Amino acid sequence: MAAPSQPQKSTYDVIVIGAGIQGSFTAYHLAQRHKDTLLLEQFLLPHSRGSSHGQSRVIRSAYPQEYYSRMMPESFRLWQQLEAETGTTLYRQTGLVLLGPPGEPVLEACRRNLGVEFLDAAALAQRFPGFRLQDGQVAVLDSTAGVLFADRALRAVQEVFRRHGGTLRDGEKVLRIEPGATVTVTTTAGVYKAPRLIITAGAWAGAFVEQLGLRLPLQPLRIDVCYWREKQPGSAGLGSVSPCFLTLGLSQAPHGIYGLPSIEYPGLMKVCHHHGTPTDPEKRDQTPSSAPRPDISILSSFISSYLPGLETQPAVMETCLYTNTPDEDFILDRHPKFSNIVIGAGFSGHGFKLSPVVGKLLCELSLGEQPSYNMAHFAITRFPGVLGAA
């Protein structure tokens, strides 16, 4: 970050708006390509207002969609590269259990992409005594999966970005974007110009692109992040060696439930509903504590059936933001009218693990290069009628 006494530079090769994990990795790749890059963040860092805070995220190879599963080997490799660059541990391998009813198509697609066999209730209980499958249900084990240390990862990628000459300015809210051959970005602290702009503003991305004549179907959701106490600390196989898990196709939890072992808080397991309540990101923390939280009853019921070693009421509750698209695929594309403006948005609660590759793709799009992967599933044009009057 620029010191207050330094003269403020105003012209860059690229400007990136939003210093969450996606924008930070985008800036990281640009700086490694020797592009003079400005990374802007509206809040003072570190903060918990967006989607990249907190101590942990799941990383997994298991995806039903081949276009994501093809990206995961490179994502793992880039995470390891960042660990080596910073001398910091960012990943703990725990494995991931995917569980659901037999014949569930998403579960079957994950199993097929992993190239593994199903586990029945007895086999799962033998390996992980803390899990109790219901009659007839099956599980798939992704042994590559584990936990990313999210806060630590965000600091690490920003550190390398600055080490490569990048400029990170936090506490600067973007007020206006003026497109053109040179894009002008006005913030609360200055005016910056660059021939290329990348918008990775999370739940605020929709408002930014509306300034540029785009109406993207982005829905910010307020997510309850819940931690559940072990009845007996270290009991029932729920200690730090237990795996992450993800449910698929359960009738009582159609959006899925995921969990991580007791890493963040000793004796507390993170178990969350992969869904939330529509929210305005500016008002997320104004939700009254008395507001109904249907996700908690869904989680309590699940825990009593599947994780009997946990108490059935959360010991700690925090919040996070998802920004979902209707199909829950990312938006990674150039603006259809202003080709020097690139948009990365709609990560739909599953983008953190893929952020090293997402950053690389947004970098390639911005530099006019052929992207490393097929981008058809991430195109803005898959949504009809998004281009309005600028």
Side-chain angles (χ1 to χ4, degrees):
M1 282 166 272
S5 60
Q6 291 178 330
Q8 189 167 311
K9 182 178 170 180
S10 62
T11 303
Y12 294 86
D13 293 335
V14 193
I15 298 171
V16 180
I17 297 175
I21 196 65
Q22 310 295 350
S24 294
F25 257 117
T26 302
Y28 161 98
H29 283 287
L30 287 162
Q32 289 195 321
R33 302 283 291 276
H34 308 292
K35 299 302 176 185
D36 187 10
T37 304
L38 172 64
L39 177 58
L40 292 170
E41 170 55 48
Q42 65 173 321
F43 301 115
L44 290 171
L45 293 169
H47 69 81
S48 59
R49 298 288 302 277
S51 302
S52 297
H53 67 282
Q55 297 180 56
S56 65
R57 296 291 188 280
V58 175
I59 182 169
R60 56 187 163 103
S61 297
Y63 259 108
Q65 304 97 331
E66 286 190 13
Y67 46 93
Y68 290 122
S69 62
R70 284 195 209 104
M71 294 177 179
M72 283 311 304
E74 183 175 17
S75 190
F76 273 104
R77 181 180 63 76
L78 290 171
W79 281 116
Q80 290 165 357
Q81 177 180 306
L82 182 61
E83 285 185 316
E85 287 176 309
T86 58
T88 307
T89 299
L90 302 177
Y91 162 67
R92 179 183 295 178
Q93 187 171 357
T94 64
L96 170 79
V97 172
L98 300 103
L99 56 96
E104 208 292 319
V106 176
L107 187 61
E108 169 57 33
C110 288
R111 184 204 65 77
R112 188 169 57 248
N113 287 341
L114 286 170
V116 299
E117 299 300 319
F118 284 117
L119 300 175
D120 60 16
L124 184 67
Q126 183 175 7
R127 188 153 187 172
F128 304 115
F131 288 93
R132 180 188 293 166
L133 285 184
Q134 305 304 292
D135 288 345
Q137 291 181 345
V138 293
V140 168
L141 178 61
D142 176 355
S143 60
T144 68
V147 176
L148 288 170
F149 301 122
D151 284 343
R152 197 184 299 174
L154 186 61
R155 288 194 303 270
V157 69
Q158 291 170 354
E159 174 192 328
V160 176
F161 166 65
R162 287 195 294 256
R163 195 188 298 166
H164 283 272
T167 302
L168 172 54
R169 299 188 66 89
D170 62 351
E172 287 199 33
K173 186 173 184 177
V174 172
L175 303 176
R176 188 167 64 255
I177 300 168
E178 298 168 56
T182 297
V183 183
T184 302
V185 176
T186 303
T187 75
T188 49
V191 178
Y192 307 100
K193 295 178 182 290
R196 304 174 186 89
L197 173 69
I198 302 172
I199 298 172
T200 50
W204 288 265
F208 281 126
V209 299
E210 277 188 18
Q211 293 184 38
L212 303 168
L214 276 183
R215 296 186 181 91
L216 296 180
L218 297 171
Q219 178 60 69
L221 298 176
R222 181 185 186 274
I223 308 298
D224 289 324
V225 181
C226 303
Y227 299 83
W228 311 74
R229 192 177 306 281
E230 298 173 12
K231 292 177 179 176
Q232 295 182 344
S235 67
L238 294 173
S240 60
V241 295
S242 70
C244 303
F245 73 84
L246 176 65
T247 74
L248 298 168
L250 297 187
S251 58
Q252 67 267 44
H255 297 283
I257 293 170
Y258 67 92
L260 294 86
S262 305
I263 289 176
E264 297 186 32
Y265 301 109
L268 300 183
M269 189 171 183
K270 184 177 181 177
V271 182
C272 308
H273 193 205
H274 192 59
H275 192 57
T277 307
T279 191
D280 178 342
E282 295 288 353
K283 300 176 181 177
R284 172 190 122 192
D285 296 327
Q286 299 173 21
T287 303
S289 58
S290 59
R293 284 180 152 145
D295 292 340
I296 304 305
S297 59
I298 291 171
L299 291 169
S300 295
S301 174
F302 171 83
I303 283 169
S304 64
S305 298
Y306 289 82
L307 296 165
L310 298 181
E311 302 285 355
T312 56
Q313 290 300 312
V316 175
M317 290 182 57
E318 300 171 355
T319 61
C320 191
L321 285 175
Y322 288 2
T323 306
N324 280 30
T325 61
D327 57 12
E328 297 188 6
D329 281 332
F330 309 157
I331 293 171
L332 309 173
D333 204 355
R334 297 183 184 92
H335 190 293
K337 187 174 179 183
F338 309 115
S339 61
N340 60 341
I341 298 177
V342 170
I343 299 157
F347 294 99
S348 303
H350 65 105
F352 201 102
K353 69 184 75 62
L354 282 157
S355 56
V357 174
V358 165
K360 178 183 174 182
L361 290 168
L362 293 174
C363 170
E364 290 169 342
L365 285 171
S366 182
L367 298 180
E369 299 173 354
Q370 179 67 33
S372 301
Y373 296 88
N374 185 336
M375 303 296 282
H377 295 281
F378 311 122
I380 287 172
T381 51
R382 73 185 193 270
F383 304 115
V386 297
L387 189 60

